[in-house]
Amino acid sequence: VLTTMDITTDGFGWMLSFGDLTWVPCMYSLQARYLSFHPVHHSPVAAALIAVLGVGSFLVFRLSNSQKNAFRTNPSDPALRHLKYITTESGSKLLVSGWWGMARHVNYSGDWMFGLAQCLATGFDTPMTYFFSVYFLVLLLHRNYRDECKCRDKYKKDWARYCELVPYMFIPYLI
């Protein structure tokens, strides 16, 4: 958490404090609150698909972030020796295999799909419970834009080379 863009780039200010104290508790509990007043009964197949999406996307989010953090902390760790990377002119190392070889922001995909699974659990009787998913998609797209600009400026021609090696932003072979 302490190495995420929220902390390293944005810092602790209005956006993060407002988000953590008001926005997150409200938005992240909206689906549960809705379900407490409007129970939804899914078929076993629908419930299983939503659960698989939720667990799978959570694993993508956590495992990709854990891999990046482990590599940042100790790139010479023997457990990470299978990972390929490029070294930039600034001396930074950019992963081009493992989770980060699949897509430049694969963690965003896992994070968003996890939120979508929570929304899907509420059924389709109201668009209100999908507000979170739409809002979160906009937030992640904006964060992606800022991150891409920052990396383009920081790594210059190395970023272009990285993007050739990892052409997908979010979902391998799709986006």
Side-chain angles (χ1 to χ4, degrees), residues 14 60 81 94 99 102 119 122-123 125 132 145 159 163 166:
W14 168 254
V60 168
R81 83 179 110 197
L94 302 175
W99 287 103
M102 290 187 232
C119 296
T122 66
D125 289 341
F132 169 74
Y145 172 76
W159 187 250
C163 290
V166 185

Side-chain angles (χ1 to χ4, degrees), residues 10-127:
D10 298 337
F12 187 76
W14 168 254
M15 194 162 72
L16 192 59
S17 61
F18 173 79
D20 286 348
L21 296 174
T22 59
W23 189 255
V24 169
C26 178
M27 288 298 106
Y28 281 54
S29 64
L30 183 63
Q31 292 78 19
R33 182 167 169 76
Y34 176 82
L35 288 172
S36 70
F37 289 103
H38 307 280
V40 174
H41 302 284
H42 291 288
S43 70
V45 171
L49 289 173
I50 293 168
V52 166
L53 177 64
V55 170
S57 56
F58 179 77
L59 288 172
V60 168
F61 175 72
R62 289 300 307 143
L63 293 173
S64 63
N65 278 326
S66 294
Q67 183 182 71
K68 178 175 64 174
N69 191 53
F71 186 78
R72 278 182 178 168
T73 304
N74 183 8
S76 2
D77 183 341
L80 305 173
R81 83 179 110 197
H82 67 283
L83 296 175
K84 295 182 175 99
Y85 59 88
I86 62 171
T87 304
T88 67
E89 284 183 8
S90 66
S92 297
K93 295 176 179 167
L94 302 175
L95 286 170
V96 295
S97 69
W99 287 103
W100 300 95
M102 290 187 232
R104 296 191 299 270
H105 303 284
V106 70
N107 59 329
Y108 292 176
S109 300
D111 206 6
W112 182 75
M113 288 188 287
F114 184 66
L116 179 62
Q118 295 170 5
C119 296
L120 289 170
T122 66
F124 298 101
D125 289 341
T126 179

Side-chain angles (χ1 to χ4, degrees), residues 97-157:
S97 69
W99 287 103
W100 300 95
M102 290 187 232
R104 296 191 299 270
H105 303 284
V106 70
N107 59 329
Y108 292 176
S109 300
D111 206 6
W112 182 75
M113 288 188 287
F114 184 66
L116 179 62
Q118 295 170 5
C119 296
L120 289 170
T122 66
F124 298 101
D125 289 341
T126 179
M128 176 186 72
T129 56
Y130 287 85
F131 172 78
F132 169 74
S133 189
V134 173
Y135 155 77
F136 200 40
L137 180 62
V138 171
L139 178 139
L140 290 174
L141 289 173
H142 179 257
R143 183 178 289 171
N144 174 69
Y145 172 76
R146 289 181 359 204
D147 196 32
E148 291 279 325
C149 289
K150 182 182 122 202
C151 290
R152 196 176 314 113
D153 291 345
K154 179 178 180 180
Y155 300 120
K156 303 188 181 4
K157 66 180 167 86

